[in-house]
Amino acid sequence: MIRASLDKQPHEVASMFDDVAERYDLTNDLLSLGQDRVWRKEVAKAVDARPAQKILDLAAGTATSSLPFARTGAYVVPCDFSLGMLRVGKKNHPWLPLTAGDATKLPFKDDTFDAVTISFGLRNVQDTDAALSELYRVTKPGGRVVICEFSHPTWAPFRTVYTEYLMRALPPVARAVSSNPDAYVYLAESIRAWPNQPELAERLRKAGWSKVAWRNLTGGVVALHRGFKTV
């Protein structure tokens, strides 16, 4: 079993997710107390996929996050660098064009997608700024990005309770339900080390995105960031 370090070496992160692939969706549901389903619904609304549009779902894992886009009639490409995740996704959703790819070197041409999105995956990329630039490159002019990521609760007392949950309650729960509980210790640490909402918004702007804004979900436990590629 592998636990990635916070310097996020790609082979470590990919191997770690390979280890948890089989029970990943179930574990997330339990650890988030079912909130992950609510968050994914909000992502789908923000992406606003339409029939015949091309949608890139980066860090799609087992492709569960891609299903709402496919249901709209859009052409969605689930992309991930964990082959273990992709194998589980292909077994469960064989009709989807699951694609192996690194967020910092995407295997797509410039100006390909109407919308690009990444949920709970940007935090695990070694070079965040390179990934944001790559997402910008493969988006059509006028297209949009939606990022759903764990963030920083806005109410200080709740932020303290949340941090305690991450570091104390999450690992024991993960030991009970996950095939690699150490992976969830890494995930808790990576959440604590992640930039806050304004800092991530500024990184999006530096990558070229315009009209950048964010909306907090569950009191800032998760934030939805959005931006557009200027025509």
Side-chain angles (χ1 to χ4, degrees):
M1 294 296 182
I2 287 181
R3 175 200 160 179
S5 57
L6 281 180
D7 62 1
K8 301 171 190 174
Q9 293 296 321
H11 68 281
E12 290 181 354
V13 177
S15 295
M16 183 186 72
F17 280 105
D18 289 346
D19 287 341
V20 300
E22 286 290 345
R23 304 184 72 182
Y24 182 72
D25 293 324
L26 171 63
T27 305
N28 285 349
D29 207 22
L30 291 171
L31 292 177
S32 70
L33 306 178
Q35 285 295 294
D36 61 318
R37 299 183 187 187
V38 176
W39 298 332
R40 293 194 187 282
K41 285 181 181 177
E42 293 302 319
V43 171
K45 290 179 187 176
V47 171
D48 192 25
R50 305 289 176 86
Q53 286 189 334
K54 291 181 180 177
I55 312 294
L56 172 63
D57 186 16
L58 186 58
T62 60
T64 298
S65 60
S66 303
L67 297 178
F69 311 129
R71 292 189 191 110
T72 68
Y75 178 77
V76 57
V77 178
C79 182
D80 203 284
F81 72 163
S82 165
L83 297 181
M85 287 284 198
L86 293 172
R87 277 192 288 268
V88 173
K90 198 64 178 176
K91 180 174 66 176
N92 295 336
H93 316 295
W95 64 91
L96 289 174
L98 286 94
T99 303
D102 183 337
T104 63
K105 294 175 287 220
L106 291 172
F108 309 108
K109 295 181 180 179
D110 295 357
D111 307 333
T112 297
F113 297 97
D114 297 283
V116 294
T117 184
I118 179 169
S119 294
F120 309 112
L122 187 61
R123 192 183 72 258
N124 299 315
V125 177
Q126 186 178 37
D127 189 337
T128 303
D129 297 321
L132 293 175
S133 296
E134 273 292 271
L135 285 171
Y136 186 86
R137 178 184 66 79
V138 302
T139 301
K140 293 178 181 178
R144 57 210 182 272
V145 63
V146 174
I147 296 170
C148 181
E149 188 53 88
F150 288 109
S151 197
H152 295 252
T154 54
W155 188 44
F158 176 59
R159 188 162 59 242
T160 301
V161 171
Y162 174 64
T163 302
E164 288 296 307
Y165 167 74
L166 282 176
M167 298 312 298
R168 295 190 182 185
L170 188 150
V173 174
R175 276 194 292 275
V177 298
S178 173
S179 56
N180 184 7
D182 281 348
Y184 288 87
V185 176
Y186 156 80
L187 291 173
E189 292 174 349
S190 68
I191 290 168
R192 292 206 306 176
W194 185 244
N196 64 24
Q197 292 88 323
E199 290 168 349
L200 181 56
E202 183 56 29
R203 294 174 87 156
L204 275 158
R205 293 186 192 98
K206 287 182 178 178
W209 298 98
S210 62
K211 300 180 184 177
V212 174
W214 73 86
R215 180 162 61 93
N216 291 314
L217 304 177
T218 318
V221 169
V222 164
L224 277 183
H225 282 71
R226 189 170 182 175
F228 294 85
K229 183 170 180 176
T230 304
V231 178

